[in-house]
Amino acid sequence: MSGKLPGDPPGGRRALAVWGIGVSVYFVAVIFRTSLGVAGLDAADRFHVNASALSTFSILQLLVYAGMQIPVGLLVDRLGTKRVLGIGVVLFTAGQLGFALSPSYGMALASRALLGCGDAMTFISVLRLGTRWFPARRGPMVAQMAGLAGMAGNLVSTLVIARLLHGVGWTAAFAGSAVAGVVVFVLLVLFLRDHPEGYEPEPVPHQGAAYVRRQIALSWREPGTRLGLWVHFTTQFPAMMFLLLWGMPFLVEAQGLSRAAAGELLTLVVLSNMAFGLVYGQVIARHHGARLPLALGTVGATAVVWAVTLVYPAATAPMWLLVVLCAVLGACGPASMIGFDFARPANPAERQGTASGITNMGGFVASMTTLFAVGVLLDATGDDYGVAFSSVFVLQVLGVSQILRLRKRAVRAERERVVASRVSSVHVPVS
């Protein structure tokens, strides 16, 4: 006898290798997702569009991404991780290649939507892959490492794609990057497995639309799921909006920086994100009660630094302030991961995919809303970034109000589940 609990995955080198393939798919998906962030000005020139039309690229991509989260959670339960990730790779690679070759704004828009659809299938799949291959106690660290891999993909966008774009041109840069999608697809087909041999999950009963509605309704009924969504909503979007599209134009057009200097600041956001991710993961692992203070503290710090930057009395903000802004924005991604730490204990194993999908929608809906608002306000005000970026505060106020409304109910329900679990473990029935 090995002493291993039934259903508890073994971990080890084999698990790390298989999970690494899944993470590599997510890594490439993030590169493709964020590649527009360093190409916003080039896209405006190439397709002859204004700020509102430019923001539509990212808005549509995020709209598709957010709308796919719950269906993807259900698909992973039904089809398995390998199939869903395989479909995702094909879609986001086709989207990136289509974007490279698009001769018109409409075709480019369709390509970004296709990319968003494929991208939507990656993160939840990688989270599920980790739970299938690693022991439960490793779950938080595995999820954190997946998030760091995504940030590494963002770093590749800011460092590599930007240089390729201005070195070899639009078509060669985007088409060349699409090769990475082909590589990870081959690795996935050859080596990725849904679970270790002998650790097959219980089959999920299929009951049609009624089953789907029940999964969604039960997940949403939990205060922890809704709190997770609003934490994700409130924390993620400032950095997402900045990195995905508007950071480069703001730093170049409003702050007068060179593209190289702006690229370095965007890189700082990503590096800061990775550093904060390690810190937040360790703090929450040791002090579970730190989840909400960390989330709200990140929102508060972001709001303060954002406001100081926008109202700075000089024509442009000093470099030290822009550095502080980008460093603080780096905390937004790790803070958004706290949302999953509220949703995960609120739901049983059979609803984890659905609950994660609901939570993951939050930040992307907020990002999509802000991308659109900034584009519209820039056109309406003659490129006044101070007014346009003030839309961030509106969504932060909305999100914080919902977090404060739900926090007591979610914490109370979580405490009751812990007590009930302890009681049931003590009263073991005699056979």
Side-chain angles (χ1 to χ4, degrees), residues 12 67 78 96 118 135 153 185 194 196 204 244 295 313-314 322 356 408 431:
R78 293 296 307 159
Q96 186 78 341
F185 180 76
D194 284 340
V204 178
L244 202 58
L322 296 176
S356 295
K408 290 184 179 179
S431 58

Side-chain angles (χ1 to χ4, degrees), residues 167-189:
V168 300
W170 177 282
T171 301
F174 282 102
S177 67
V179 174
V182 177
V183 172
V184 294
F185 180 76
V186 172
L187 292 174
L188 182 151
V189 170

Side-chain angles (χ1 to χ4, degrees), residues 326-410:
C326 291
V328 171
L329 286 176
C332 292
S336 71
M337 295 294 289
I338 297 173
F340 296 101
D341 290 322
F342 285 109
R344 189 182 303 113
N347 293 272
E350 62 269 18
R351 291 206 308 266
Q352 287 296 317
T354 306
S356 295
I358 292 173
T359 300
N360 208 29
M361 285 176 61
F364 290 94
V365 169
S367 299
M368 177 181 61
T369 303
T370 312
L371 285 166
F372 176 74
V374 170
V376 170
L377 290 171
L378 284 174
D379 286 338
T381 61
D383 293 338
D384 187 330
Y385 281 90
V387 173
F389 277 13
S390 294
S391 58
V392 168
F393 304 121
V394 177
L395 270 69
Q396 285 182 322
V397 169
L398 172 62
V400 169
S401 67
Q402 295 300 312
I403 291 172
L404 296 179
R405 182 177 68 85
L406 290 164
R407 74 188 192 283
K408 290 184 179 179
R409 274 183 283 175

Side-chain angles (χ1 to χ4, degrees), residues 106-410:
M107 187 173 292
L109 204 60
S111 297
R112 296 305 289 186
L114 189 64
L115 193 157
C117 186
D119 182 19
M121 298 183 175
T122 58
F123 186 65
I124 292 177
S125 297
V126 171
L127 289 180
R128 177 57 59 91
L129 191 67
T131 64
R132 295 299 190 209
W133 279 90
F134 292 95
R137 67 181 184 276
R138 302 271 182 88
M141 183 58 67
V142 169
Q144 188 62 49
M145 291 300 103
L148 289 177
M151 286 302 100
N154 204 329
L155 189 61
V156 170
S157 283
T158 58
L159 293 178
V160 179
I161 299 295
R163 292 180 181 177
L164 283 175
L165 190 64
H166 301 111
V168 300
W170 177 282
T171 301
F174 282 102
S177 67
V179 174
V182 177
V183 172
V184 294
F185 180 76
V186 172
L187 292 174
L188 182 151
V189 170
L190 293 179
F191 302 113
L192 191 137
R193 300 291 181 268
D194 284 340
H195 47 73
E197 186 176 352
Y199 290 86
E200 293 81 1
E202 292 292 329
V204 178
H206 181 61
Q207 302 171 4
Y211 168 76
V212 173
R213 289 194 297 268
R214 183 173 179 272
Q215 287 287 91
I216 296 173
L218 291 175
S219 297
W220 182 256
R221 192 175 299 169
E222 291 290 344
T225 304
R226 283 175 281 145
L227 179 60
L229 179 146
W230 284 109
V231 168
H232 200 269
F233 177 100
T234 314
T235 53
Q236 188 200 50
F237 78 92
M240 179 69 72
M241 176 271 292
F242 200 79
L243 287 172
L244 202 58
L245 184 61
W246 293 121
M248 179 69 77
F250 168 72
L251 295 171
V252 173
E253 296 179 347
Q255 299 302 317
L257 300 182
S258 66
R259 291 196 180 201
E264 291 174 357
L265 287 175
L266 293 180
T267 303
L268 174 61
V269 177
V270 178
L271 293 175
S272 174
N273 189 304
M274 299 172 76
F276 274 110
L278 292 173
V279 174
Y280 279 23
Q282 291 296 325
V283 171
I284 293 172
R286 298 177 181 178
H287 308 285
H288 208 52
R291 292 173 298 173
L292 206 55
L294 280 177
L296 292 176
T298 300
V299 174
T302 303
V304 169
V305 179
W306 200 275
V308 172
T309 303
L310 296 182
V311 302
Y312 196 80
T316 58
M319 179 57 75
W320 67 264
L321 182 55
L322 296 176
V323 168
V324 172
L325 172 66
C326 291
V328 171
L329 286 176
C332 292
S336 71
M337 295 294 289
I338 297 173
F340 296 101
D341 290 322
F342 285 109
R344 189 182 303 113
N347 293 272
E350 62 269 18
R351 291 206 308 266
Q352 287 296 317
T354 306
S356 295
I358 292 173
T359 300
N360 208 29
M361 285 176 61
F364 290 94
V365 169
S367 299
M368 177 181 61
T369 303
T370 312
L371 285 166
F372 176 74
V374 170
V376 170
L377 290 171
L378 284 174
D379 286 338
T381 61
D383 293 338
D384 187 330
Y385 281 90
V387 173
F389 277 13
S390 294
S391 58
V392 168
F393 304 121
V394 177
L395 270 69
Q396 285 182 322
V397 169
L398 172 62
V400 169
S401 67
Q402 295 300 312
I403 291 172
L404 296 179
R405 182 177 68 85
L406 290 164
R407 74 188 192 283
K408 290 184 179 179
R409 274 183 283 175

